[in-house]
Amino acid sequence: LRDFKNQVLGMLETAEKEREAMRSEAESAAVRVDRLEREVDYLETQNPAPPCVEVDETLMEKQVATAKQRKNEKYTKLTDCSDTIASVRAMKILKRFGSTLGLWTKDAAGNSEKIYVFDGTANDTVYVFPRMREFTLFSATRKAARIKLPYPWVGTGHLVYDGHLYYIRQQGSFQVIKFNLANKTVVDSSVFPAEEQIPVFGLSPFTYIEVAADEEGLWAIYATKEDEKNICLAKLDPTSLDIEQMWDTPCPRENAEGAFVVCGALHVVYNTRLPSRSRVQCVFDVSGTLAPEDASLVYFPKRYGSHSSMKYSPHERQIYAWDDGYQIIYRMEMKKKLEV
């Protein structure tokens, strides 16, 4: 009996140790599960589910019909901006970065010093430099942060505006994607309500929609087969991506290489098949203040080739251009439209 008692006591001691070990493992697993749940909650907060980008045919038809009804209506200006470009005051070549085609820009609506670089016409990674100095002085991208987009972009018509990236995605039809640069999430997306789109610039066949910003807000520059000879213009709501108003312009697509909007007036830049001096040769003012035939013919200094992108900064009154892989800043001389 004494031997049996000692044997049972040993077994009980071993069982107690195993029970304690199992209890410790269970507590550790509970802690890990709790931590995982908190991390999942945080990720869901920071990365909400992307919005549905499927095309609602009924909504699409309604948007197209509404937009067509508002074509060529009188535009009500939001600001008192009445300037136009008189001349290119200066040109500064920053560096050569990336491929021959691309886009570089700042936030068109804020005071941020960050530089955003889109290398190529079909990619999904944006380089972000903290300020101009880092972008200028370093040849490599080691000073740049990288933002990987959920969908690849197409063309060079993208825009950074008020902390958001508006870029073009092609999935059958063309979509404008609104991407929050702070929390790296898709905020909204919209199928552009234009049928049978074609490249908007004759000399830049890779761009179908050019999203632009000026003192009045957001614009979309595009072209369709319905009026394939000329460029079209639309006013965008930056919050909902709805088309507020659309215009047919007299500016031809042929030999156009880029465009931008200044104070509610579309400025189209032209070149030749064999790259020469770029010039603003057509201006369309949505408010009717400036007639196309009264606009100044603005020439840009001769450079390397032709522009693949030109982004106007309303705050700085200058243009960020990408020319054959070179990043260039054009400083503009402005004057009142009535003085032209």
Side-chain angles (χ1 to χ4, degrees), residues 51-71:
C52 179
V53 295
E54 297 297 327
V55 180
D56 186 327
E57 297 295 339
T58 305
L59 180 60
M60 180 70 174
E61 292 175 2
K62 184 177 179 181
Q63 287 179 332
V64 172
T66 303
K68 285 183 176 180
Q69 286 178 1
R70 302 199 64 183
K71 264 192 177 183

Side-chain angles (χ1 to χ4, degrees), residues 204-265:
S204 303
F206 41 81
T207 296
Y208 285 75
I209 300 174
E210 176 83 25
V211 184
D214 73 340
E215 296 79 0
E216 293 280 296
L218 250 60
W219 305 82
I221 307 165
Y222 64 101
T224 66
K225 283 188 176 181
E226 184 180 358
D227 185 15
E228 62 179 328
K229 290 186 177 180
N230 293 339
I231 294 172
C232 300
L233 180 66
K235 186 73 171 63
L236 286 179
D237 183 332
T239 303
S240 64
L241 298 179
D242 289 339
I243 301 293
E244 296 179 347
Q245 202 165 336
M246 304 174 78
W247 296 267
D248 296 321
T249 81
C251 300
R253 291 177 54 251
E254 186 178 3
N255 293 330
E257 68 173 5
F260 49 89
V261 183
V262 178
C263 287

Side-chain angles (χ1 to χ4, degrees), residues 122-134:
N123 207 334
D124 64 355
T125 301
V126 183
Y127 296 105
V128 185
F129 293 84
R131 58 188 63 85
M132 188 71 74
R133 183 176 183 273
E134 281 76 6

Side-chain angles (χ1 to χ4, degrees), residues 313-330:
S313 172
H315 295 288
E316 300 169 312
R317 291 295 177 90
Q318 58 189 24
I319 292 173
Y320 293 84
W322 190 294
D323 174 21
D324 199 28
Y326 289 88
Q327 289 72 52
I328 300 174
I329 291 178
Y330 294 111

Side-chain angles (χ1 to χ4, degrees), residues 79-153:
T79 70
D80 58 355
C81 181
S82 59
D83 291 339
T84 187
I85 299 174
S87 64
V88 178
R89 188 175 63 195
M91 176 183 76
K92 184 177 181 180
I93 302 171
L94 270 297
K95 63 182 298 183
R96 186 169 191 177
F97 176 92
S99 57
T100 56
L101 305 175
L103 161 72
W104 75 298
T105 185
K106 283 185 178 180
D107 190 322
N111 297 318
S112 173
E113 292 298 316
K114 290 182 179 180
I115 302 294
Y116 299 89
V117 180
F118 301 76
D119 187 16
T121 61
N123 207 334
D124 64 355
T125 301
V126 183
Y127 296 105
V128 185
F129 293 84
R131 58 188 63 85
M132 188 71 74
R133 183 176 183 273
E134 281 76 6
F135 176 65
T136 307
L137 295 181
F138 297 94
S139 58
T141 58
R142 58 189 178 90
K143 290 290 183 179
R146 290 171 172 81
I147 298 177
K148 188 174 178 62
L149 302 176
Y151 317 110
W153 71 70

